[in-house]
């Protein structure tokens, strides 16, 4: 029987049970935690025990939140929506497209909460005004094709005591840009609604409406970028398989399928939170 009892729960989710919130969000199972090492690790445990698609795990803070490429994801209490969502049945050949589709979904959801434009930086950083407002980490689970854990971190408001100074310049907070208080469940509802639309089923190729949605927000196209190996060139957009096309300084065209790129002229820092300036993602490159 569903219970509407008062629960403590993470910030923004108090007053109702996880079952009640889960029903409102239209997901089969929702776990709400005050603290976890990582919502994606918890969801992996559930996935391995057979939990259904669109099971969602949320935590108020993560002690071992992680970002792409093994970087740390700074997840202080009360400052963001730290959420993982299970997507099942993801054929391996589509796995390069899924993070891009999730990026479109997150960008569209956040646009509903701010008048500012939301940009996408390949492969899946979400930016407002050249600062990172959200990041996405997709990790496979189980046998090939079985499923993907989609971890989404959205920066909502500065943590108590502020951000470490080396992170602050590159981070945007949704409340900061919208100028209005933002409730965690409202952000989750928009995110899950858009995810349902863009990843059910998982798209096979970046084409049609999905490509148009990406291109409308692509902040790299035409800009000078530096690849992980140090080479630089001009970003030209994306291929149907999700690769970033870059024309190198010597005129050669390369398809970038792994890692990331950064904008030339934007410095590096040991930032944890991930940002376009001073850096993208979390941790070192
Ligand atoms: C990135 O930009 O590098 C991706 C960041 C992803 C962070 C989210 S927060 C919820 C989920 N749990 C994690 O440990 N990471 C993801």
């Amino acid at each position: 029987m569903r219970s509407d009892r008062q629960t403590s729960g993470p910030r923004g989710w108090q007053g109702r049970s996880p079952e009640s919130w889960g029903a409102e969000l239209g997901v089969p199972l929702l776990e709400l935690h005050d603290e976890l090492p990582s919502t994606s690790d918890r969801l992996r445990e559930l996935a391995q025990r057979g939990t259904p698609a669109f099971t969602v795990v949320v935590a108020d803070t993560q002690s071992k939140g992680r970002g792409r490429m093994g970087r740390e994801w700074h997840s202080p209490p009360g400052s963001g929506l730290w959420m993982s969502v299970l997507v099942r049945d993801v054929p391996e050949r589509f796995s390069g497209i899924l993070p891009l589709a999730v990026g479109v979904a997150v960008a569209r959801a956040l646009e509903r909460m701010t008048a500012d434009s939301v940009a996408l930086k390949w492969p899946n950083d979400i930016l407002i005004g050249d600062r990172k407002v959200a990041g996405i980490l997709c990790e496979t689970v189980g046998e090939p094709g079985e499923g993907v854990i989609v971890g989404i971190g959205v920066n909502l408001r500065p943590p108590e005591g502020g951000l470490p100074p080396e992170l602050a310049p590159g981070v945007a907070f949704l409340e900061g840009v919208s100028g209005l208080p933002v409730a965690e469940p409202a952000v989750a509802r928009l995110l899950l609604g858009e995810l349902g639309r863009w990843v059910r089923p998982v798209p096979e190729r970046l084409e049609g409406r999905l490509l148009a949605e990406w291109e409308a927000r692509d902040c790299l196209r035409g800009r000078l970028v530096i690849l992980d190996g140090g080479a630089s060139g001009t970003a030209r957009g994306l291929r149907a398989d999700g690769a970033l096309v870059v024309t190198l300084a010597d005129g050669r065209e390369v398809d970038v399928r792994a890692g990331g790129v950064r904008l030339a002229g934007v410095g590096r820092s040991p930032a944890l939170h991930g940002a376009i300036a001073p850096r993208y993602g979390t941790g070192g490159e």
Side-chain angles (χ1 to χ4, degrees), residues 163-181:
L163 276 182
E166 70 276 16
L167 299 187
V171 176
F173 294 98
L174 198 53
E175 284 191 353
V177 289
S178 71
L180 294 168

PDB file of all heavy atoms in Angstrom, residues 163-181:
ATOM      1  N   LEU A 163      31.557  27.646  -3.070  1.00  0.00           N
ATOM      2  CA  LEU A 163      32.376  26.677  -3.805  1.00  0.00           C
ATOM      3  C   LEU A 163      33.844  26.982  -3.577  1.00  0.00           C
ATOM      4  O   LEU A 163      34.200  28.137  -3.351  1.00  0.00           O
ATOM      5  CB  LEU A 163      32.127  26.833  -5.312  1.00  0.00           C
ATOM      6  CG  LEU A 163      30.952  26.132  -5.960  1.00  0.00           C
ATOM      7  CD1 LEU A 163      30.979  26.417  -7.453  1.00  0.00           C
ATOM      8  CD2 LEU A 163      30.987  24.638  -5.716  1.00  0.00           C
ATOM      9  N   PRO A 164      34.681  25.966  -3.664  1.00  0.00           N
ATOM     10  CA  PRO A 164      36.118  26.262  -3.655  1.00  0.00           C
ATOM     11  C   PRO A 164      36.412  27.290  -4.757  1.00  0.00           C
ATOM     12  O   PRO A 164      35.857  27.192  -5.849  1.00  0.00           O
ATOM     13  CB  PRO A 164      36.757  24.908  -3.985  1.00  0.00           C
ATOM     14  CG  PRO A 164      35.714  23.883  -3.676  1.00  0.00           C
ATOM     15  CD  PRO A 164      34.379  24.537  -3.849  1.00  0.00           C
ATOM     16  N   PRO A 165      37.270  28.274  -4.448  1.00  0.00           N
ATOM     17  CA  PRO A 165      37.478  29.378  -5.390  1.00  0.00           C
ATOM     18  C   PRO A 165      37.930  28.932  -6.773  1.00  0.00           C
ATOM     19  O   PRO A 165      37.615  29.567  -7.774  1.00  0.00           O
ATOM     20  CB  PRO A 165      38.554  30.237  -4.719  1.00  0.00           C
ATOM     21  CG  PRO A 165      38.945  29.547  -3.474  1.00  0.00           C
ATOM     22  CD  PRO A 165      38.038  28.405  -3.211  1.00  0.00           C
ATOM     23  N   GLU A 166      38.642  27.795  -6.847  1.00  0.00           N
ATOM     24  CA  GLU A 166      39.124  27.371  -8.160  1.00  0.00           C
ATOM     25  C   GLU A 166      37.989  26.809  -9.029  1.00  0.00           C
ATOM     26  O   GLU A 166      38.123  26.694 -10.237  1.00  0.00           O
ATOM     27  CB  GLU A 166      40.277  26.366  -8.040  1.00  0.00           C
ATOM     28  CG  GLU A 166      39.915  24.997  -7.511  1.00  0.00           C
ATOM     29  CD  GLU A 166      39.864  24.920  -5.976  1.00  0.00           C
ATOM     30  OE1 GLU A 166      39.813  25.989  -5.316  1.00  0.00           O
ATOM     31  OE2 GLU A 166      39.845  23.801  -5.446  1.00  0.00           O
ATOM     32  N   LEU A 167      36.863  26.469  -8.384  1.00  0.00           N
ATOM     33  CA  LEU A 167      35.736  25.934  -9.158  1.00  0.00           C
ATOM     34  C   LEU A 167      34.765  27.023  -9.582  1.00  0.00           C
ATOM     35  O   LEU A 167      34.159  26.952 -10.645  1.00  0.00           O
ATOM     36  CB  LEU A 167      34.933  24.924  -8.317  1.00  0.00           C
ATOM     37  CG  LEU A 167      35.626  23.688  -7.806  1.00  0.00           C
ATOM     38  CD1 LEU A 167      34.617  22.755  -7.154  1.00  0.00           C
ATOM     39  CD2 LEU A 167      36.327  22.977  -8.939  1.00  0.00           C
ATOM     40  N   ALA A 168      34.612  28.010  -8.710  1.00  0.00           N
ATOM     41  CA  ALA A 168      33.503  28.948  -8.845  1.00  0.00           C
ATOM     42  C   ALA A 168      33.378  29.590 -10.226  1.00  0.00           C
ATOM     43  O   ALA A 168      32.254  29.691 -10.747  1.00  0.00           O
ATOM     44  CB  ALA A 168      33.616  30.011  -7.757  1.00  0.00           C
ATOM     45  N   PRO A 169      34.463  29.996 -10.880  1.00  0.00           N
ATOM     46  CA  PRO A 169      34.283  30.737 -12.131  1.00  0.00           C
ATOM     47  C   PRO A 169      33.628  29.929 -13.247  1.00  0.00           C
ATOM     48  O   PRO A 169      33.085  30.501 -14.185  1.00  0.00           O
ATOM     49  CB  PRO A 169      35.708  31.127 -12.530  1.00  0.00           C
ATOM     50  CG  PRO A 169      36.545  30.939 -11.322  1.00  0.00           C
ATOM     51  CD  PRO A 169      35.879  29.875 -10.506  1.00  0.00           C
ATOM     52  N   GLY A 170      33.712  28.610 -13.162  1.00  0.00           N
ATOM     53  CA  GLY A 170      33.206  27.805 -14.264  1.00  0.00           C
ATOM     54  C   GLY A 170      31.836  27.203 -14.052  1.00  0.00           C
ATOM     55  O   GLY A 170      31.346  26.472 -14.904  1.00  0.00           O
ATOM     56  N   VAL A 171      31.223  27.495 -12.919  1.00  0.00           N
ATOM     57  CA  VAL A 171      29.989  26.791 -12.572  1.00  0.00           C
ATOM     58  C   VAL A 171      28.794  27.738 -12.619  1.00  0.00           C
ATOM     59  O   VAL A 171      28.861  28.862 -12.124  1.00  0.00           O
ATOM     60  CB  VAL A 171      30.117  26.180 -11.161  1.00  0.00           C
ATOM     61  CG1 VAL A 171      28.819  25.532 -10.729  1.00  0.00           C
ATOM     62  CG2 VAL A 171      31.250  25.173 -11.138  1.00  0.00           C
ATOM     63  N   ALA A 172      27.714  27.276 -13.215  1.00  0.00           N
ATOM     64  CA  ALA A 172      26.445  28.021 -13.184  1.00  0.00           C
ATOM     65  C   ALA A 172      25.462  27.258 -12.305  1.00  0.00           C
ATOM     66  O   ALA A 172      25.457  26.022 -12.283  1.00  0.00           O
ATOM     67  CB  ALA A 172      25.869  28.157 -14.584  1.00  0.00           C
ATOM     68  N   PHE A 173      24.649  27.991 -11.578  1.00  0.00           N
ATOM     69  CA  PHE A 173      23.603  27.384 -10.757  1.00  0.00           C
ATOM     70  C   PHE A 173      22.252  27.790 -11.329  1.00  0.00           C
ATOM     71  O   PHE A 173      22.031  28.975 -11.618  1.00  0.00           O
ATOM     72  CB  PHE A 173      23.725  27.853  -9.306  1.00  0.00           C
ATOM     73  CG  PHE A 173      24.981  27.356  -8.652  1.00  0.00           C
ATOM     74  CD1 PHE A 173      26.098  28.168  -8.569  1.00  0.00           C
ATOM     75  CD2 PHE A 173      25.057  26.070  -8.156  1.00  0.00           C
ATOM     76  CE1 PHE A 173      27.269  27.703  -7.990  1.00  0.00           C
ATOM     77  CE2 PHE A 173      26.227  25.602  -7.568  1.00  0.00           C
ATOM     78  CZ  PHE A 173      27.334  26.419  -7.489  1.00  0.00           C
ATOM     79  N   LEU A 174      21.369  26.821 -11.437  1.00  0.00           N
ATOM     80  CA  LEU A 174      20.072  27.092 -12.059  1.00  0.00           C
ATOM     81  C   LEU A 174      19.321  28.209 -11.336  1.00  0.00           C
ATOM     82  O   LEU A 174      18.743  29.094 -11.972  1.00  0.00           O
ATOM     83  CB  LEU A 174      19.250  25.802 -12.080  1.00  0.00           C
ATOM     84  CG  LEU A 174      18.070  25.757 -13.031  1.00  0.00           C
ATOM     85  CD1 LEU A 174      18.456  26.124 -14.453  1.00  0.00           C
ATOM     86  CD2 LEU A 174      17.420  24.378 -13.005  1.00  0.00           C
ATOM     87  N   GLU A 175      19.354  28.198 -10.015  1.00  0.00           N
ATOM     88  CA  GLU A 175      18.661  29.266  -9.276  1.00  0.00           C
ATOM     89  C   GLU A 175      19.324  30.619  -9.530  1.00  0.00           C
ATOM     90  O   GLU A 175      18.656  31.642  -9.587  1.00  0.00           O
ATOM     91  CB  GLU A 175      18.644  28.973  -7.768  1.00  0.00           C
ATOM     92  CG  GLU A 175      17.631  27.928  -7.402  1.00  0.00           C
ATOM     93  CD  GLU A 175      17.420  27.811  -5.882  1.00  0.00           C
ATOM     94  OE1 GLU A 175      18.154  28.440  -5.103  1.00  0.00           O
ATOM     95  OE2 GLU A 175      16.514  27.050  -5.499  1.00  0.00           O
ATOM     96  N   GLY A 176      20.639  30.574  -9.679  1.00  0.00           N
ATOM     97  CA  GLY A 176      21.372  31.817  -9.918  1.00  0.00           C
ATOM     98  C   GLY A 176      20.978  32.445 -11.237  1.00  0.00           C
ATOM     99  O   GLY A 176      20.789  33.661 -11.322  1.00  0.00           O
ATOM    100  N   VAL A 177      20.833  31.624 -12.263  1.00  0.00           N
ATOM    101  CA  VAL A 177      20.516  32.211 -13.571  1.00  0.00           C
ATOM    102  C   VAL A 177      19.021  32.500 -13.714  1.00  0.00           C
ATOM    103  O   VAL A 177      18.638  33.476 -14.349  1.00  0.00           O
ATOM    104  CB  VAL A 177      21.008  31.340 -14.749  1.00  0.00           C
ATOM    105  CG1 VAL A 177      22.503  31.375 -14.855  1.00  0.00           C
ATOM    106  CG2 VAL A 177      20.523  29.922 -14.664  1.00  0.00           C
ATOM    107  N   SER A 178      18.188  31.667 -13.093  1.00  0.00           N
ATOM    108  CA  SER A 178      16.742  31.905 -13.252  1.00  0.00           C
ATOM    109  C   SER A 178      16.268  33.008 -12.308  1.00  0.00           C
ATOM    110  O   SER A 178      15.249  33.646 -12.543  1.00  0.00           O
ATOM    111  CB  SER A 178      15.945  30.622 -12.992  1.00  0.00           C
ATOM    112  OG  SER A 178      15.992  30.306 -11.617  1.00  0.00           O
ATOM    113  N   GLY A 179      17.029  33.204 -11.227  1.00  0.00           N
ATOM    114  CA  GLY A 179      16.628  34.223 -10.251  1.00  0.00           C
ATOM    115  C   GLY A 179      15.454  33.785  -9.395  1.00  0.00           C
ATOM    116  O   GLY A 179      14.888  34.587  -8.662  1.00  0.00           O
ATOM    117  N   LEU A 180      15.085  32.522  -9.476  1.00  0.00           N
ATOM    118  CA  LEU A 180      13.937  32.012  -8.728  1.00  0.00           C
ATOM    119  C   LEU A 180      14.330  30.750  -7.985  1.00  0.00           C
ATOM    120  O   LEU A 180      15.230  30.022  -8.437  1.00  0.00           O
ATOM    121  CB  LEU A 180      12.799  31.642  -9.693  1.00  0.00           C
ATOM    122  CG  LEU A 180      12.161  32.790 -10.467  1.00  0.00           C
ATOM    123  CD1 LEU A 180      11.271  32.235 -11.567  1.00  0.00           C
ATOM    124  CD2 LEU A 180      11.369  33.673  -9.502  1.00  0.00           C
ATOM    125  N   PRO A 181      13.645  30.465  -6.864  1.00  0.00           N
ATOM    126  CA  PRO A 181      13.923  29.185  -6.207  1.00  0.00           C
ATOM    127  C   PRO A 181      13.487  28.027  -7.110  1.00  0.00           C
ATOM    128  O   PRO A 181      12.491  28.132  -7.839  1.00  0.00           O
ATOM    129  CB  PRO A 181      13.060  29.226  -4.941  1.00  0.00           C
ATOM    130  CG  PRO A 181      12.335  30.508  -4.950  1.00  0.00           C
ATOM    131  CD  PRO A 181      12.619  31.254  -6.207  1.00  0.00           C
TER     132      PRO A 181
END
